[in-house]
Amino acid sequence: MKIVEKRLDEIKPYEKNPRRNDAAVEYVAESIKTFGWKQPIVIDKDGVIIVGHTRYKAAQSLGIEKVPCLIADDLTPEQVKAYRLADNKVADFSVWDNKLLLEELDELAKIADDLFTGFDTSDLFDDTIDEAANSVLTENESGVIYEVVFKSEDEGKISRIREAWEKIANE
């Protein structure tokens, strides 16, 4: 596998890309600004994007002229179509472990409160695991109330979680 740098004008978005990613561009741009390029854009031999449309748009928004690319010239046209879809779809099958997520975010908050993670307090509890039943919480039907209990020896941690929870509850 060889990663090459390409000018943005050498890369073409796939015209029939079914993924609508404009809402993610600013977050990907922030990630690139914070961490640099850590994932190349995958293109075919003609420079058409297979994977990385959002990174491409983020590069445009940041005024980046050259981006790292991986040329996937070993795939058939059918495999290219399937990979383009699969790369976007597979993330839909995962959920967040609420307890571990909060622990990770809390550890980061102790070190650097302004480090970009892509998380907003309003979405901390979306698609997370209900620890009591190990099932996914995806909807709160009218009238359903969820009780959340946080336990920790660290009062500061409990206070930060309580503040985030109250902020969500009041939105």
Side-chain angles (χ1 to χ4, degrees):
M1 220 175 359
K2 183 180 176 189
I3 296 174
V4 297
E5 283 212 339
K6 293 276 188 181
R7 291 188 327 273
L8 280 184
D9 63 3
E10 296 177 284
I11 301 170
K12 299 172 236 131
Y14 178 59
E15 290 178 4
K16 292 172 56 177
N17 183 25
R19 186 72 173 208
R20 299 294 169 236
N21 56 6
D22 289 343
V25 172
E26 71 178 280
Y27 297 101
V28 172
E30 186 63 33
S31 179
I32 291 169
K33 284 192 317 190
T34 303
F35 307 111
W37 277 108
K38 300 301 178 211
Q39 291 179 293
I41 294 173
V42 181
I43 59 175
D44 66 15
K45 62 182 174 20
D46 298 318
V48 177
I49 298 173
I50 299 172
V51 173
H53 287 84
T54 311
R55 289 188 295 279
Y56 172 83
K57 288 179 180 180
Q60 286 180 314
S61 76
L62 292 170
I64 295 173
E65 295 179 18
K66 288 186 174 183
V67 295
C69 294
L70 179 99
I71 302 171
D73 55 5
D74 61 331
L75 301 176
T76 67
E78 295 80 17
Q79 288 175 318
V80 166
K81 283 184 178 288
Y83 178 39
R84 187 178 284 121
L85 296 173
D87 184 71
N88 282 291
K89 181 62 180 166
V90 295
D92 293 350
F93 297 107
S94 63
V95 296
W96 292 96
D97 180 314
N98 192 30
K99 184 178 179 183
L100 292 176
L101 173 60
L102 288 172
E103 286 176 13
E104 288 292 301
L105 291 170
D106 187 61
E107 286 176 26
L108 281 173
K110 288 178 185 174
I111 299 166
D113 199 27
D114 61 344
L115 194 57
F116 177 75
T117 63
F119 280 93
D120 184 5
T121 55
S122 64
D123 62 16
L124 284 181
F125 299 96
D126 289 350
D127 293 330
T128 57
I129 298 217
D130 173 0
E131 295 175 28
N134 290 330
S135 61
V136 179
L137 298 175
T138 55
E139 295 180 4
N140 183 0
E141 295 178 13
S142 197
V144 175
I145 297 172
Y146 293 104
E147 180 181 2
V148 178
V149 178
F150 299 107
K151 295 180 182 178
S152 176
E153 301 294 321
D154 182 343
E155 285 299 318
K157 180 178 183 179
I158 292 294
S159 178
R160 287 188 299 276
I161 292 170
R162 184 177 292 119
E163 286 174 22
W165 184 256
E166 288 171 357
K167 182 177 178 183
I168 293 165
N170 293 323
E171 289 181 352

